[in-house]
Short mmCIF file of all heavy atoms in Angstrom, two decimals:
data_model
loop_
_atom_site.label_atom_id
_atom_site.label_comp_id
_atom_site.label_asym_id
_atom_site.label_seq_id
_atom_site.Cartn_x
_atom_site.Cartn_y
_atom_site.Cartn_z
N ARG A 55 -7.10 2.62 14.29
CA ARG A 55 -7.37 1.29 14.93
C ARG A 55 -6.05 0.49 15.02
O ARG A 55 -5.76 -0.13 16.03
CB ARG A 55 -8.39 0.54 14.11
CG ARG A 55 -9.00 -0.64 14.82
CD ARG A 55 -10.12 -1.31 14.03
NE ARG A 55 -10.99 -0.37 13.32
CZ ARG A 55 -11.21 -0.41 12.01
NH1 ARG A 55 -10.66 -1.29 11.26
NH2 ARG A 55 -11.99 0.48 11.45
N GLU A 56 -5.28 0.53 13.92
CA GLU A 56 -3.98 -0.17 13.88
C GLU A 56 -3.03 0.30 14.98
O GLU A 56 -2.33 -0.47 15.57
CB GLU A 56 -3.38 0.06 12.50
CG GLU A 56 -2.10 -0.68 12.22
CD GLU A 56 -1.61 -0.38 10.81
OE1 GLU A 56 -2.32 -0.68 9.86
OE2 GLU A 56 -0.52 0.19 10.70
N ARG A 57 -3.09 1.59 15.26
CA ARG A 57 -2.22 2.19 16.29
C ARG A 57 -2.88 2.17 17.67
O ARG A 57 -2.36 2.73 18.61
CB ARG A 57 -1.80 3.59 15.89
CG ARG A 57 -0.95 3.59 14.59
CD ARG A 57 -0.52 4.96 14.24
NE ARG A 57 0.19 5.62 15.29
CZ ARG A 57 1.48 5.84 15.37
NH1 ARG A 57 2.24 5.44 14.37
NH2 ARG A 57 2.03 6.46 16.36
N ARG A 58 -4.04 1.55 17.75
CA ARG A 58 -4.80 1.38 19.02
C ARG A 58 -5.14 2.73 19.69
O ARG A 58 -5.07 2.86 20.89
CB ARG A 58 -4.05 0.46 19.97
CG ARG A 58 -3.90 -0.96 19.41
CD ARG A 58 -3.41 -1.96 20.41
NE ARG A 58 -2.23 -1.57 21.16
CZ ARG A 58 -0.97 -1.77 20.78
NH1 ARG A 58 -0.74 -2.36 19.65
NH2 ARG A 58 0.04 -1.42 21.55
N HIS A 59 -5.44 3.72 18.88
CA HIS A 59 -5.86 5.02 19.39
C HIS A 59 -7.32 4.99 19.81
O HIS A 59 -8.14 4.32 19.18
CB HIS A 59 -5.68 6.12 18.36
CG HIS A 59 -4.27 6.42 18.01
ND1 HIS A 59 -3.22 6.32 18.87
CD2 HIS A 59 -3.72 6.84 16.83
CE1 HIS A 59 -2.09 6.64 18.29
NE2 HIS A 59 -2.35 6.96 17.04
N THR A 60 -7.63 5.77 20.81
CA THR A 60 -9.03 6.01 21.19
C THR A 60 -9.41 7.32 20.52
O THR A 60 -8.78 8.33 20.74
CB THR A 60 -9.17 6.14 22.72
OG1 THR A 60 -8.69 4.94 23.32
CG2 THR A 60 -10.61 6.38 23.12
N VAL A 61 -10.44 7.28 19.69
CA VAL A 61 -10.93 8.48 19.02
C VAL A 61 -12.33 8.80 19.54
O VAL A 61 -13.23 7.98 19.49
CB VAL A 61 -10.96 8.30 17.49
CG1 VAL A 61 -11.48 9.58 16.81
CG2 VAL A 61 -9.58 7.92 16.97
N SER A 62 -12.47 10.01 20.09
CA SER A 62 -13.80 10.43 20.57
C SER A 62 -14.19 11.71 19.89
O SER A 62 -13.37 12.53 19.52
CB SER A 62 -13.80 10.59 22.09
OG SER A 62 -12.84 11.53 22.50
N THR A 63 -15.48 11.87 19.67
CA THR A 63 -16.00 13.05 19.02
C THR A 63 -17.12 13.67 19.86
O THR A 63 -17.82 12.98 20.57
CB THR A 63 -16.61 12.70 17.62
OG1 THR A 63 -17.67 11.77 17.79
CG2 THR A 63 -15.53 12.09 16.73
N HIS A 64 -17.20 14.97 19.77
CA HIS A 64 -18.22 15.73 20.48
C HIS A 64 -18.74 16.82 19.54
O HIS A 64 -18.03 17.79 19.27
CB HIS A 64 -17.64 16.39 21.75
CG HIS A 64 -17.00 15.38 22.69
ND1 HIS A 64 -17.72 14.58 23.53
CD2 HIS A 64 -15.72 15.08 22.86
CE1 HIS A 64 -16.89 13.80 24.19
NE2 HIS A 64 -15.64 14.08 23.82
N VAL A 65 -19.93 16.63 19.03
CA VAL A 65 -20.56 17.64 18.21
C VAL A 65 -21.63 18.29 19.08
O VAL A 65 -22.57 17.62 19.52
CB VAL A 65 -21.19 17.05 16.93
CG1 VAL A 65 -21.88 18.15 16.10
CG2 VAL A 65 -20.10 16.34 16.09
N ALA A 66 -21.47 19.58 19.36
CA ALA A 66 -22.40 20.29 20.26
C ALA A 66 -23.83 20.22 19.73
O ALA A 66 -24.03 20.27 18.51
CB ALA A 66 -21.97 21.74 20.41
N PRO A 67 -24.79 20.12 20.64
CA PRO A 67 -26.20 20.13 20.23
C PRO A 67 -26.48 21.45 19.47
O PRO A 67 -25.94 22.49 19.83
CB PRO A 67 -26.97 20.09 21.56
CG PRO A 67 -26.00 19.68 22.60
CD PRO A 67 -24.62 20.02 22.08
N GLY A 68 -27.27 21.37 18.46
CA GLY A 68 -27.60 22.56 17.69
C GLY A 68 -26.69 22.78 16.49
O GLY A 68 -26.93 23.62 15.68
N VAL A 69 -25.57 22.04 16.42
CA VAL A 69 -24.68 22.16 15.25
C VAL A 69 -25.19 21.16 14.22
O VAL A 69 -24.83 19.99 14.24
CB VAL A 69 -23.20 21.84 15.62
CG1 VAL A 69 -22.35 21.90 14.38
CG2 VAL A 69 -22.70 22.78 16.67
N LEU A 70 -26.08 21.60 13.37
CA LEU A 70 -26.67 20.70 12.40
C LEU A 70 -26.09 20.95 10.99
O LEU A 70 -25.50 20.04 10.43
CB LEU A 70 -28.20 20.89 12.37
CG LEU A 70 -28.91 20.60 13.71
CD1 LEU A 70 -30.36 20.95 13.59
CD2 LEU A 70 -28.69 19.21 14.13
N LEU A 71 -26.31 22.12 10.45
CA LEU A 71 -25.87 22.42 9.11
C LEU A 71 -24.91 23.57 9.10
O LEU A 71 -25.05 24.53 9.86
CB LEU A 71 -27.07 22.77 8.21
CG LEU A 71 -28.04 21.68 7.90
CD1 LEU A 71 -29.22 22.24 7.11
CD2 LEU A 71 -27.41 20.52 7.17
N ILE A 72 -23.89 23.45 8.23
CA ILE A 72 -22.99 24.56 7.98
C ILE A 72 -22.98 24.80 6.48
O ILE A 72 -23.39 23.95 5.70
CB ILE A 72 -21.56 24.29 8.50
CG1 ILE A 72 -20.95 23.04 7.84
CG2 ILE A 72 -21.55 24.16 10.00
CD1 ILE A 72 -19.49 22.84 8.14
N ASP A 73 -22.48 25.94 6.03
CA ASP A 73 -22.40 26.26 4.63
C ASP A 73 -20.93 26.20 4.24
O ASP A 73 -20.11 26.92 4.77
CB ASP A 73 -22.96 27.66 4.37
CG ASP A 73 -23.00 27.98 2.92
OD1 ASP A 73 -23.49 27.17 2.11
OD2 ASP A 73 -22.47 29.06 2.52
N GLY A 74 -20.60 25.29 3.30
CA GLY A 74 -19.20 25.20 2.89
C GLY A 74 -19.01 24.22 1.76
O GLY A 74 -19.96 23.62 1.27
N ASP A 75 -17.79 24.08 1.33
CA ASP A 75 -17.40 23.14 0.27
C ASP A 75 -17.09 21.81 0.94
O ASP A 75 -16.04 21.64 1.57
CB ASP A 75 -16.18 23.70 -0.49
CG ASP A 75 -15.83 22.85 -1.71
OD1 ASP A 75 -15.77 21.62 -1.58
OD2 ASP A 75 -15.58 23.45 -2.75
N GLU A 76 -18.00 20.85 0.78
CA GLU A 76 -17.89 19.59 1.52
C GLU A 76 -16.57 18.85 1.25
O GLU A 76 -15.91 18.40 2.20
CB GLU A 76 -19.06 18.68 1.16
CG GLU A 76 -19.08 17.39 1.98
CD GLU A 76 -20.36 16.60 1.75
OE1 GLU A 76 -21.23 17.02 0.96
OE2 GLU A 76 -20.46 15.53 2.39
N GLU A 77 -16.19 18.71 -0.01
CA GLU A 77 -14.99 17.96 -0.33
C GLU A 77 -13.74 18.57 0.28
O GLU A 77 -12.88 17.89 0.84
CB GLU A 77 -14.83 17.80 -1.84
CG GLU A 77 -15.93 16.98 -2.49
CD GLU A 77 -16.11 15.58 -1.84
OE1 GLU A 77 -15.10 14.92 -1.59
OE2 GLU A 77 -17.26 15.23 -1.61
N LYS A 78 -13.66 19.90 0.18
CA LYS A 78 -12.47 20.58 0.74
C LYS A 78 -12.46 20.50 2.27
O LYS A 78 -11.41 20.34 2.88
CB LYS A 78 -12.38 22.00 0.21
CG LYS A 78 -11.99 21.98 -1.28
CD LYS A 78 -12.00 23.33 -1.89
CE LYS A 78 -11.66 23.28 -3.38
NZ LYS A 78 -12.51 22.42 -4.18
N LEU A 79 -13.62 20.65 2.88
CA LEU A 79 -13.69 20.57 4.34
C LEU A 79 -13.34 19.18 4.83
O LEU A 79 -12.66 18.99 5.86
CB LEU A 79 -15.04 21.02 4.85
CG LEU A 79 -15.32 22.52 4.73
CD1 LEU A 79 -16.79 22.83 5.04
CD2 LEU A 79 -14.41 23.32 5.63
N VAL A 80 -13.81 18.16 4.13
CA VAL A 80 -13.46 16.79 4.49
C VAL A 80 -11.94 16.59 4.41
O VAL A 80 -11.32 16.03 5.32
CB VAL A 80 -14.18 15.74 3.62
CG1 VAL A 80 -13.59 14.35 3.78
CG2 VAL A 80 -15.66 15.69 3.94
N ARG A 81 -11.32 17.12 3.35
CA ARG A 81 -9.85 17.00 3.21
C ARG A 81 -9.12 17.70 4.33
O ARG A 81 -8.11 17.22 4.83
CB ARG A 81 -9.39 17.52 1.86
CG ARG A 81 -9.53 16.47 0.79
CD ARG A 81 -8.70 16.81 -0.39
NE ARG A 81 -8.97 18.18 -0.75
CZ ARG A 81 -9.14 18.62 -1.97
NH1 ARG A 81 -9.02 17.84 -2.98
NH2 ARG A 81 -9.42 19.89 -2.20
N VAL A 82 -9.60 18.89 4.73
CA VAL A 82 -8.97 19.61 5.84
C VAL A 82 -9.04 18.76 7.11
O VAL A 82 -8.04 18.56 7.82
CB VAL A 82 -9.66 20.98 6.06
CG1 VAL A 82 -9.22 21.58 7.41
CG2 VAL A 82 -9.31 21.91 4.92
N LEU A 83 -10.25 18.19 7.38
CA LEU A 83 -10.39 17.35 8.57
C LEU A 83 -9.51 16.10 8.49
O LEU A 83 -8.92 15.67 9.47
CB LEU A 83 -11.85 16.98 8.80
CG LEU A 83 -12.74 18.09 9.31
CD1 LEU A 83 -14.21 17.65 9.29
CD2 LEU A 83 -12.33 18.53 10.70
N VAL A 84 -9.47 15.48 7.32
CA VAL A 84 -8.63 14.27 7.14
C VAL A 84 -7.16 14.63 7.41
O VAL A 84 -6.45 13.85 8.06
CB VAL A 84 -8.82 13.67 5.72
CG1 VAL A 84 -7.74 12.62 5.45
CG2 VAL A 84 -10.19 13.03 5.62
N ASN A 85 -6.72 15.77 6.91
CA ASN A 85 -5.33 16.18 7.17
C ASN A 85 -5.08 16.38 8.66
O ASN A 85 -4.04 15.91 9.17
CB ASN A 85 -4.98 17.45 6.37
CG ASN A 85 -4.83 17.20 4.90
OD1 ASN A 85 -4.57 16.10 4.48
ND2 ASN A 85 -5.01 18.24 4.12
N LEU A 86 -5.99 17.07 9.35
CA LEU A 86 -5.82 17.29 10.77
C LEU A 86 -5.85 15.95 11.55
O LEU A 86 -5.01 15.71 12.40
CB LEU A 86 -6.91 18.23 11.29
CG LEU A 86 -6.83 19.68 10.85
CD1 LEU A 86 -8.11 20.41 11.26
CD2 LEU A 86 -5.61 20.35 11.42
N LEU A 87 -6.84 15.12 11.23
CA LEU A 87 -6.95 13.83 11.91
C LEU A 87 -5.76 12.91 11.56
O LEU A 87 -5.25 12.21 12.42
CB LEU A 87 -8.25 13.15 11.56
CG LEU A 87 -9.50 13.80 12.09
CD1 LEU A 87 -10.75 13.28 11.40
CD2 LEU A 87 -9.61 13.61 13.58
N GLY A 88 -5.34 12.94 10.29
CA GLY A 88 -4.20 12.13 9.90
C GLY A 88 -2.94 12.52 10.64
O GLY A 88 -2.17 11.64 11.08
N ASN A 89 -2.72 13.80 10.82
CA ASN A 89 -1.55 14.25 11.60
C ASN A 89 -1.66 13.81 13.03
O ASN A 89 -0.69 13.37 13.64
CB ASN A 89 -1.42 15.78 11.54
CG ASN A 89 -0.86 16.27 10.22
OD1 ASN A 89 -0.28 15.50 9.45
ND2 ASN A 89 -1.09 17.51 9.92
N ALA A 90 -2.86 13.91 13.62
CA ALA A 90 -3.06 13.47 15.00
C ALA A 90 -2.77 11.97 15.12
O ALA A 90 -2.11 11.53 16.07
CB ALA A 90 -4.48 13.77 15.45
N VAL A 91 -3.24 11.19 14.16
CA VAL A 91 -3.02 9.74 14.22
C VAL A 91 -1.53 9.42 14.08
O VAL A 91 -0.98 8.60 14.82
CB VAL A 91 -3.85 9.03 13.13
CG1 VAL A 91 -3.43 7.56 12.98
CG2 VAL A 91 -5.34 9.12 13.45
N LYS A 92 -0.88 10.07 13.12
CA LYS A 92 0.53 9.77 12.85
C LYS A 92 1.46 10.16 13.98
O LYS A 92 2.44 9.51 14.25
CB LYS A 92 1.00 10.48 11.57
CG LYS A 92 0.50 9.83 10.28
CD LYS A 92 1.13 10.46 9.10
CE LYS A 92 0.28 11.61 8.65
NZ LYS A 92 0.72 12.24 7.38
N PHE A 93 1.15 11.31 14.63
CA PHE A 93 2.09 11.85 15.62
C PHE A 93 1.67 11.60 17.07
O PHE A 93 2.24 12.18 17.98
CB PHE A 93 2.31 13.34 15.36
CG PHE A 93 2.96 13.57 14.03
CD1 PHE A 93 2.24 14.12 12.98
CD2 PHE A 93 4.26 13.19 13.80
CE1 PHE A 93 2.83 14.34 11.73
CE2 PHE A 93 4.88 13.37 12.56
CZ PHE A 93 4.16 13.96 11.53
N THR A 94 0.69 10.73 17.28
CA THR A 94 0.30 10.34 18.61
C THR A 94 0.86 8.95 18.87
O THR A 94 0.72 8.05 18.05
CB THR A 94 -1.25 10.30 18.73
OG1 THR A 94 -1.72 11.62 18.54
CG2 THR A 94 -1.69 9.81 20.08
N PRO A 95 1.53 8.76 19.99
CA PRO A 95 2.11 7.44 20.28
C PRO A 95 1.03 6.37 20.35
O PRO A 95 -0.14 6.66 20.65
CB PRO A 95 2.74 7.62 21.67
CG PRO A 95 2.93 9.10 21.84
CD PRO A 95 1.85 9.74 21.04
N THR A 96 1.42 5.13 20.03
CA THR A 96 0.49 4.01 20.04
C THR A 96 -0.31 3.97 21.35
O THR A 96 0.24 4.17 22.42
CB THR A 96 1.27 2.70 19.89
OG1 THR A 96 1.97 2.74 18.63
CG2 THR A 96 0.35 1.49 19.88
N GLY A 97 -1.61 3.78 21.20
CA GLY A 97 -2.49 3.70 22.36
C GLY A 97 -2.93 5.06 22.88
O GLY A 97 -3.55 5.16 23.92
N GLY A 98 -2.64 6.11 22.11
CA GLY A 98 -2.98 7.46 22.57
C GLY A 98 -4.45 7.80 22.33
O GLY A 98 -5.24 6.97 21.88
N ALA A 99 -4.81 9.03 22.65
CA ALA A 99 -6.19 9.48 22.53
C ALA A 99 -6.27 10.69 21.60
O ALA A 99 -5.41 11.58 21.62
CB ALA A 99 -6.73 9.85 23.89
N ILE A 100 -7.30 10.71 20.80
CA ILE A 100 -7.60 11.82 19.88
C ILE A 100 -9.03 12.25 20.12
O ILE A 100 -9.95 11.39 20.19
CB ILE A 100 -7.39 11.39 18.42
CG1 ILE A 100 -5.93 10.95 18.17
CG2 ILE A 100 -7.80 12.52 17.46
CD1 ILE A 100 -5.72 10.25 16.88
N THR A 101 -9.25 13.52 20.29
CA THR A 101 -10.57 14.07 20.52
C THR A 101 -10.87 15.14 19.49
O THR A 101 -10.04 16.00 19.21
CB THR A 101 -10.69 14.65 21.93
OG1 THR A 101 -10.32 13.67 22.87
CG2 THR A 101 -12.09 15.15 22.22
N VAL A 102 -12.07 15.05 18.90
CA VAL A 102 -12.53 16.06 17.96
C VAL A 102 -13.79 16.71 18.51
O VAL A 102 -14.69 16.03 18.92
CB VAL A 102 -12.86 15.44 16.57
CG1 VAL A 102 -13.23 16.55 15.58
CG2 VAL A 102 -11.70 14.61 16.05
N ARG A 103 -13.76 18.06 18.56
CA ARG A 103 -14.93 18.79 19.07
C ARG A 103 -15.40 19.78 18.01
O ARG A 103 -14.58 20.50 17.41
CB ARG A 103 -14.55 19.58 20.34
CG ARG A 103 -14.33 18.72 21.54
CD ARG A 103 -14.05 19.59 22.79
NE ARG A 103 -13.93 18.78 23.98
CZ ARG A 103 -12.81 18.12 24.30
NH1 ARG A 103 -11.76 18.22 23.54
NH2 ARG A 103 -12.78 17.40 25.39
N MET A 104 -16.70 19.84 17.83
CA MET A 104 -17.32 20.82 16.94
C MET A 104 -18.34 21.62 17.77
O MET A 104 -19.26 21.05 18.32
CB MET A 104 -18.02 20.16 15.76
CG MET A 104 -17.11 19.53 14.75
SD MET A 104 -18.02 18.88 13.35
CE MET A 104 -16.76 18.84 12.13
N THR A 105 -18.12 22.93 17.83
CA THR A 105 -19.00 23.79 18.60
C THR A 105 -19.27 25.08 17.81
O THR A 105 -18.42 25.57 17.11
CB THR A 105 -18.38 24.17 19.97
OG1 THR A 105 -17.10 24.76 19.74
CG2 THR A 105 -18.22 22.98 20.84
#
Side-chain angles (χ1 to χ4, degrees):
R55 196 175 321 123
E56 185 180 298
R57 296 181 56 106
R58 297 190 311 272
H59 292 328
T60 302
V61 179
S62 58
T63 61
H64 304 282
V65 179
V69 177
L70 300 175
L71 292 176
I72 60 171
D73 184 50
D75 186 313
E76 184 173 2
E77 295 306 315
K78 288 175 182 57
L79 289 171
V80 167
R81 275 198 311 222
V82 167
L83 286 173
V84 167
N85 287 338
L86 290 170
L87 291 165
N89 284 341
V91 169
K92 285 188 271 186
F93 297 109
T94 297
T96 301
I100 299 167
T101 304
V102 184
R103 289 185 177 80
M104 290 184 159
T105 55

